Amino acid sequence: MAAESDTDTSDHHEPLLEEGPKSRTVEVDGHRLKLTHLDKVMYPQTGTTKRDVINFYWQVAPRLIEHAHDRPVTRKRWVDGVGTSDEPGESFFQKNAGRDTPDWVPRVSIEYVRKTNEHPLVNEPAVLIWLGQTATLEIHTPQWRAYSTGRRHRPDRLVLDLDPGEGVELTGCAQVALQAREVLADIGLDAVPVTSGSKGIHIYAPLDGSWSWKRASESAHRLAQSLEKEHADQVTTSMDRAERAGKVFIDWSQNNTNKMTVAPWSLRGRLRPMVAVPRLWEEIEDSQLRQLDHSEALERLSEPDPLSEAIGRLRRG
């Protein structure tokens, strides 16, 4: 079959794949990719197929790549889809690029305490298409970028992961997010909320590159502890799940150099194709706040990305 060619990298794309054959070959960024089983249902509850997943990642590529560029990726894959509430699909994390990774996929070797992993890098749209083909739904990245040698840059963002305990709704997370915004502003950080596409909210604060790993991690810890002290009825920093009921758990530990967070604009492996979406603070204040699915995320591509705007403000400043 003749290859299709579409290498437009504008802010948002038309779908790459139309309804039709179950398999096709496309050319993206000068790379030929054979896409198969395009009608496989990845999200049974909504009938969302592999074709839909690939189209989504093609359309959000410029935004996701901006936030993931040069960050080692850990993939979370659902080869047979997410399944149902009664029969959940099996998933697994994959750090190493693997033998089946095309030669053209950029990668970087990162040394950890006990081993070295060769991570793929999402630096071009073709990589996202390949990830979709391999049933990668979630894309996880750290708060730092890597040099080509594998050495870590200093962190360029700080993150607080707000996870609602039993009995807490998303609006409860939103209240804590607004409190966190004030505390971050007090130390000069411009925070942006990202509804995680799962249960909670991620708070990102872009950094100027001058912060050490120790400073970022310790600052996030102190911020979380200060919120816990001031709002003890709402907030906990305890890792003990028994302590989280009725409260919002602030996970500050994702600022550790070895930890990863689901990337902004990544899909999630939930029952529905939800997405981690950067949001406006006005939305966080809305009593009707909810997580967004892939269709709703795509509707936002005509609007500015709040996280990109915060990064731009930091650079101009």
Side-chain angles (χ1 to χ4, degrees):
M1 180 179 297
E4 297 178 353
S5 178
D6 191 341
T7 56
D8 177 25
T9 55
S10 59
D11 188 49
H12 54 95
H13 300 284
E14 295 299 319
L16 178 67
L17 302 171
E18 298 178 353
E19 294 295 329
K22 298 178 182 179
S23 300
R24 32 210 323 189
T25 299
V26 299
E27 185 171 326
V28 179
D29 304 326
H31 308 299
R32 291 174 64 89
L33 295 94
K34 184 177 181 180
L35 307 179
T36 61
H37 306 294
L38 294 174
D39 59 345
K40 177 185 282 190
V41 176
M42 304 303 293
Y43 295 87
Q45 189 175 106
T46 57
T48 305
T49 63
K50 183 192 279 191
R51 178 185 286 104
D52 298 322
V53 168
I54 290 172
N55 276 336
F56 174 79
Y57 275 132
W58 170 253
Q59 290 173 274
V60 303
R63 297 198 174 189
L64 196 156
I65 290 170
E66 178 184 0
H67 302 307
H69 196 277
D70 282 346
R71 299 183 196 273
V73 164
T74 292
R75 306 180 266 162
K76 192 171 184 181
R77 301 173 60 188
W78 280 261
V79 175
D80 295 313
V82 301
T84 64
S85 56
D86 293 331
E87 296 184 19
E90 293 186 5
S91 64
F92 61 95
F93 283 98
Q94 183 172 349
K95 291 185 176 181
N96 278 310
R99 294 179 180 177
D100 58 344
T101 303
D103 292 340
W104 54 263
V105 173
R107 62 201 78 189
V108 63
S109 294
I110 303 297
E111 185 176 342
Y112 297 95
V113 175
R114 294 184 176 86
K115 58 182 177 179
T116 297
N117 288 320
E118 187 180 60
H119 296 262
L121 297 172
V122 180
N123 288 359
E124 53 185 298
V127 177
L128 284 170
I129 305 306
W130 167 70
L131 290 176
Q133 166 61 22
T134 62
T136 297
L137 298 182
E138 294 188 3
I139 297 168
H140 295 249
T141 58
Q143 314 317 318
W144 48 272
R145 301 180 192 271
Y147 291 94
S148 59
T149 59
R151 189 166 65 87
R152 297 164 171 84
H153 283 267
R154 288 189 171 203
D156 60 357
R157 62 193 187 198
L158 181 146
V159 65
L160 297 176
D161 180 1
L162 311 186
D163 185 19
E166 184 178 351
V168 179
E169 302 293 333
L170 184 60
T171 51
C173 262
Q175 293 175 7
V176 176
L178 292 166
Q179 295 159 2
R181 180 193 189 189
E182 293 182 5
V183 175
L184 288 162
D186 287 342
I187 60 172
L189 296 181
D190 185 6
V192 177
V194 174
T195 45
S196 70
S198 181
K199 297 179 180 179
I201 298 174
H202 298 155
I203 308 296
Y204 284 97
L207 302 176
D208 62 6
S210 66
W211 288 45
S212 67
W213 276 109
K214 182 178 180 182
R215 180 183 177 188
S217 182
E218 291 182 350
S219 294
H221 194 184
R222 286 196 299 269
L223 286 167
Q225 288 178 320
S226 68
L227 287 166
E228 181 181 39
K229 183 177 180 180
E230 189 171 349
H231 306 280
D233 59 330
Q234 290 180 282
V235 174
T236 181
T237 61
S238 173
M239 295 287 184
D240 186 351
R241 290 194 175 274
E243 300 290 327
R244 300 186 196 178
K247 297 184 179 182
V248 174
F249 168 57
I250 301 182
D251 184 359
W252 55 271
S253 70
Q254 292 185 36
N255 297 281
N256 181 292
T257 183
N258 293 325
K259 292 289 188 72
M260 297 199 176
T261 308
V262 69
W265 297 100
S266 171
L267 284 164
R268 302 305 305 267
R270 310 292 293 178
L271 292 179
R272 296 172 56 84
M274 311 308 285
V275 181
V277 183
R279 308 292 289 269
L280 298 171
W281 283 108
E282 290 84 347
E283 295 179 276
I284 302 301
E285 295 169 348
D286 190 339
S287 62
Q288 303 301 312
L289 177 69
R290 57 185 176 80
Q291 303 286 350
L292 301 179
D293 66 20
H294 71 312
S295 297
E296 294 168 312
L298 290 175
E299 292 172 358
R300 291 172 170 254
L301 295 181
S302 61
E303 305 169 0
D305 180 333
L307 185 53
S308 296
E309 291 196 315
I311 295 170
R313 288 192 294 270
L314 178 66
R315 290 172 177 167
R316 291 192 297 272

